Amino acid sequence: MSELDAVRDAGAAGAPDPLCFVLMPFGRKSDVTGATIDFDAVYRELIAPAVRAADLEPLRADEEVTGGIVHKPMFERLILCEFAVADLTFANANVFYELGVRHAVRPYSTVLLFAAGTRLPFDVELDRGIPYALTPTGAPADLDAARRRLSERLMAARDASVDSPVFQLIEGFPEIDRLKTDVFRDQVRYSTMWKERLERARRQGLQAVRAAERELGDLRNVEAGILVDVYLSYRAVNGHEEMVSLAARLPRPLARTPLVREQLGFALNRLGRREEAERVLLALIGERGPSSETYGLLGRVYKDMWSDAREAGEELLAEGLLEKAVEAYLAGFEADWRDAYPGINAVSLMEFQEPPDPRREQLLPVVAYAVDRRLDSGQSDYWDHATRLELAVLAKDEAATRRALGRALAMVRENWEPESTAGNLRLIREARSRRGDDVPWAEAAEQELLRRAGRSSAG
C-alpha cells in the first residue's frame, strides 16, 4: 500500500457523514384539487431515514423566505451541501426556485422525488424522479420500498453522474469548483461595514474580535463570508481556542468546507492537540483527496510532533516523525507543483535528516521554479517571499537572502507568519552547525523576522 493510500484509508475511517440538504414544503399542504399531504411526515418517516441509510446526514431547509426572496444562508446551504433531495410535489414555487439554484451550481448529487400522481412541469420531466405512495390521510405509504429506492439513488449519486439538466444540455458549462468559502479573507465579498469592522478588531486584538463575534447573534442567519472572516480574524490574533469553539458552532455546511476544516487542524495543532489535528486533516484528505494545502498543514503537525519528541529526548521516535513530515510535505507538493509552500518545507526538513536526504538536490530547482512563477504572476503573498528567503539561505547566498528578507518583511499580514519562518531558519542553521557548516549571517535574518513578529529571540 502506498503512503497516499494509507492516508486516504486512515482519513476515511474518521470522516463525518456528508450533508444532504432537503428541499421541500413544510407542514400540511393542499393543492387545487383538495388533495392534502403531511410533508412533515414525509420528511420524518421517508426522507430522513432514507438519507441516513445512505450514510448521509439530513439537513432540512428552514422556512427562511420573506417576500419571495431566499436568504443568503439558504443559498449557502444549497451550494455547500454535498447532496440534496428535492420533493417536487404540488410544484411548490420555493422548492423549484431552490432546485434551479442547485442545478446551476452542482452538476450532480441532487435527487428528485414526488408523490405518485403528481404532474411535473416539462422542465423537469426529463429527470429521473422517484415517486412515493400516500395513505388517504396524506402520510407516506409503502415506506420500506420508498426508503430503499431513495437510499439507492443517493448512494448512486456518489459516482458523480451528472443529473443537472443545465450541465447535461450545455456542454462546457462552468462548474463552481472553489466555493466562496474556500478562499481567504481578501477574496471574500460581503458587507463592507463588516469587513472594516473586523479589520479594526484585528488591529485591537483578541478581545475586540470576541466582541465583534458577539454582535453577530445567531450564527445560522449570518452569511458565510462574515463567518469566515471572523474565523480567520481569530487566527490573526492567536485566538486558537476561539477558532476551535467557533468551528463547532458554525452552520454544518460551512463547517464541513475544506477551508474551515483545514484551519481547525491548524488551530488544534497550535494548541498542542496534535493527534486531534492529525485526525481532522487525515479525514479531510480521505474524503476530498490530496491537496497541497491540507498536506502542508499535516506536514506541519508531524513537524511539531518531531520537535516535541526531540525536546523529550525520544530520538528514535523523532526520526520516524521527521520522515512522516517530509513525506506529507512531498505529497502536498506533488498534489500541486504550483504551490511551493509544501515543497520548501520538504526540502528544509530533508536538510535536518542525518545524513541529509539526497532528494533535496532534485527538488530545490523545482521549488525555485514554482515560486518564481508565483512571484512573476503579480499575485504573490508573504509565503512566496518567505519561500524565496529559505531557498536563498539553503543556497548560502547572502545577497539573495537580504533581498528576499526585505520583501518578505514588507508582505507580513499576521505576526505568526514571520515567527514561523524564523523557526525554520533556526532549524536549518542548527542542523548545519551540528555538521560544522556555520553560516554566521543567517542568524541576523532570524532576528529581523522575530522583530517583525513583535518578539525577540529571548521571548
PDB file of all heavy atoms in Angstrom, residues 443-454:
ATOM      1  N   GLU A 443      21.750  34.019  11.082  1.00  0.00           N
ATOM      2  CA  GLU A 443      21.020  34.312  12.312  1.00  0.00           C
ATOM      3  C   GLU A 443      20.435  35.721  12.304  1.00  0.00           C
ATOM      4  O   GLU A 443      19.386  35.981  12.906  1.00  0.00           O
ATOM      5  CB  GLU A 443      21.933  34.130  13.523  1.00  0.00           C
ATOM      6  CG  GLU A 443      21.182  34.228  14.844  1.00  0.00           C
ATOM      7  CD  GLU A 443      22.031  33.852  16.046  1.00  0.00           C
ATOM      8  OE1 GLU A 443      23.224  33.524  15.858  1.00  0.00           O
ATOM      9  OE2 GLU A 443      21.494  33.890  17.171  1.00  0.00           O
ATOM     10  N   ALA A 444      21.107  36.638  11.606  1.00  0.00           N
ATOM     11  CA  ALA A 444      20.583  38.009  11.534  1.00  0.00           C
ATOM     12  C   ALA A 444      19.213  38.038  10.856  1.00  0.00           C
ATOM     13  O   ALA A 444      18.341  38.839  11.233  1.00  0.00           O
ATOM     14  CB  ALA A 444      21.567  38.897  10.781  1.00  0.00           C
ATOM     15  N   ALA A 445      18.995  37.169   9.872  1.00  0.00           N
ATOM     16  CA  ALA A 445      17.684  37.109   9.211  1.00  0.00           C
ATOM     17  C   ALA A 445      16.611  36.642  10.194  1.00  0.00           C
ATOM     18  O   ALA A 445      15.485  37.153  10.194  1.00  0.00           O
ATOM     19  CB  ALA A 445      17.754  36.174   8.011  1.00  0.00           C
ATOM     20  N   GLU A 446      16.955  35.676  11.027  1.00  0.00           N
ATOM     21  CA  GLU A 446      16.003  35.206  12.043  1.00  0.00           C
ATOM     22  C   GLU A 446      15.593  36.346  12.964  1.00  0.00           C
ATOM     23  O   GLU A 446      14.409  36.513  13.286  1.00  0.00           O
ATOM     24  CB  GLU A 446      16.630  34.083  12.875  1.00  0.00           C
ATOM     25  CG  GLU A 446      17.015  32.838  12.106  1.00  0.00           C
ATOM     26  CD  GLU A 446      17.854  31.910  12.978  1.00  0.00           C
ATOM     27  OE1 GLU A 446      17.561  31.829  14.199  1.00  0.00           O
ATOM     28  OE2 GLU A 446      18.802  31.294  12.463  1.00  0.00           O
ATOM     29  N   GLN A 447      16.583  37.130  13.411  1.00  0.00           N
ATOM     30  CA  GLN A 447      16.298  38.217  14.343  1.00  0.00           C
ATOM     31  C   GLN A 447      15.377  39.267  13.706  1.00  0.00           C
ATOM     32  O   GLN A 447      14.473  39.797  14.366  1.00  0.00           O
ATOM     33  CB  GLN A 447      17.606  38.866  14.801  1.00  0.00           C
ATOM     34  CG  GLN A 447      18.528  37.939  15.573  1.00  0.00           C
ATOM     35  CD  GLN A 447      17.849  37.372  16.814  1.00  0.00           C
ATOM     36  OE1 GLN A 447      17.140  38.086  17.522  1.00  0.00           O
ATOM     37  NE2 GLN A 447      18.051  36.083  17.061  1.00  0.00           N
ATOM     38  N   GLU A 448      15.589  39.562  12.447  1.00  0.00           N
ATOM     39  CA  GLU A 448      14.725  40.528  11.759  1.00  0.00           C
ATOM     40  C   GLU A 448      13.293  40.023  11.675  1.00  0.00           C
ATOM     41  O   GLU A 448      12.334  40.779  11.843  1.00  0.00           O
ATOM     42  CB  GLU A 448      15.271  40.823  10.364  1.00  0.00           C
ATOM     43  CG  GLU A 448      16.539  41.653  10.346  1.00  0.00           C
ATOM     44  CD  GLU A 448      16.312  43.060  10.886  1.00  0.00           C
ATOM     45  OE1 GLU A 448      15.193  43.591  10.743  1.00  0.00           O
ATOM     46  OE2 GLU A 448      17.257  43.622  11.456  1.00  0.00           O
ATOM     47  N   LEU A 449      13.146  38.754  11.396  1.00  0.00           N
ATOM     48  CA  LEU A 449      11.802  38.171  11.316  1.00  0.00           C
ATOM     49  C   LEU A 449      11.110  38.205  12.674  1.00  0.00           C
ATOM     50  O   LEU A 449       9.914  38.537  12.775  1.00  0.00           O
ATOM     51  CB  LEU A 449      11.892  36.730  10.793  1.00  0.00           C
ATOM     52  CG  LEU A 449      12.236  36.594   9.308  1.00  0.00           C
ATOM     53  CD1 LEU A 449      12.726  35.184   9.007  1.00  0.00           C
ATOM     54  CD2 LEU A 449      11.033  36.936   8.428  1.00  0.00           C
ATOM     55  N   LEU A 450      11.831  37.850  13.725  1.00  0.00           N
ATOM     56  CA  LEU A 450      11.246  37.861  15.059  1.00  0.00           C
ATOM     57  C   LEU A 450      10.898  39.281  15.489  1.00  0.00           C
ATOM     58  O   LEU A 450       9.874  39.512  16.153  1.00  0.00           O
ATOM     59  CB  LEU A 450      12.202  37.224  16.063  1.00  0.00           C
ATOM     60  CG  LEU A 450      12.395  35.708  15.925  1.00  0.00           C
ATOM     61  CD1 LEU A 450      13.487  35.221  16.871  1.00  0.00           C
ATOM     62  CD2 LEU A 450      11.094  34.965  16.197  1.00  0.00           C
ATOM     63  N   ARG A 451      11.729  40.241  15.103  1.00  0.00           N
ATOM     64  CA  ARG A 451      11.427  41.643  15.421  1.00  0.00           C
ATOM     65  C   ARG A 451      10.134  42.072  14.722  1.00  0.00           C
ATOM     66  O   ARG A 451       9.305  42.777  15.307  1.00  0.00           O
ATOM     67  CB  ARG A 451      12.596  42.521  14.995  1.00  0.00           C
ATOM     68  CG  ARG A 451      12.501  43.972  15.490  1.00  0.00           C
ATOM     69  CD  ARG A 451      13.764  44.758  15.160  1.00  0.00           C
ATOM     70  NE  ARG A 451      14.919  44.202  15.866  1.00  0.00           N
ATOM     71  CZ  ARG A 451      15.952  43.606  15.271  1.00  0.00           C
ATOM     72  NH1 ARG A 451      15.979  43.480  13.949  1.00  0.00           N
ATOM     73  NH2 ARG A 451      16.963  43.138  15.970  1.00  0.00           N
ATOM     74  N   ARG A 452       9.973  41.641  13.476  1.00  0.00           N
ATOM     75  CA  ARG A 452       8.743  41.975  12.738  1.00  0.00           C
ATOM     76  C   ARG A 452       7.534  41.316  13.375  1.00  0.00           C
ATOM     77  O   ARG A 452       6.416  41.855  13.332  1.00  0.00           O
ATOM     78  CB  ARG A 452       8.885  41.510  11.285  1.00  0.00           C
ATOM     79  CG  ARG A 452       7.704  41.872  10.397  1.00  0.00           C
ATOM     80  CD  ARG A 452       7.638  43.368  10.174  1.00  0.00           C
ATOM     81  NE  ARG A 452       6.594  43.714   9.224  1.00  0.00           N
ATOM     82  CZ  ARG A 452       5.304  43.856   9.544  1.00  0.00           C
ATOM     83  NH1 ARG A 452       4.925  43.699  10.798  1.00  0.00           N
ATOM     84  NH2 ARG A 452       4.409  44.175   8.632  1.00  0.00           N
ATOM     85  N   ALA A 453       7.733  40.169  13.991  1.00  0.00           N
ATOM     86  CA  ALA A 453       6.628  39.474  14.670  1.00  0.00           C
ATOM     87  C   ALA A 453       6.346  40.043  16.043  1.00  0.00           C
ATOM     88  O   ALA A 453       5.419  39.594  16.731  1.00  0.00           O
ATOM     89  CB  ALA A 453       6.952  37.977  14.779  1.00  0.00           C
ATOM     90  N   GLY A 454       7.165  41.021  16.461  1.00  0.00           N
ATOM     91  CA  GLY A 454       6.940  41.631  17.765  1.00  0.00           C
ATOM     92  C   GLY A 454       7.577  40.879  18.902  1.00  0.00           C
ATOM     93  O   GLY A 454       7.153  40.998  20.062  1.00  0.00           O
TER      94      GLY A 454
END
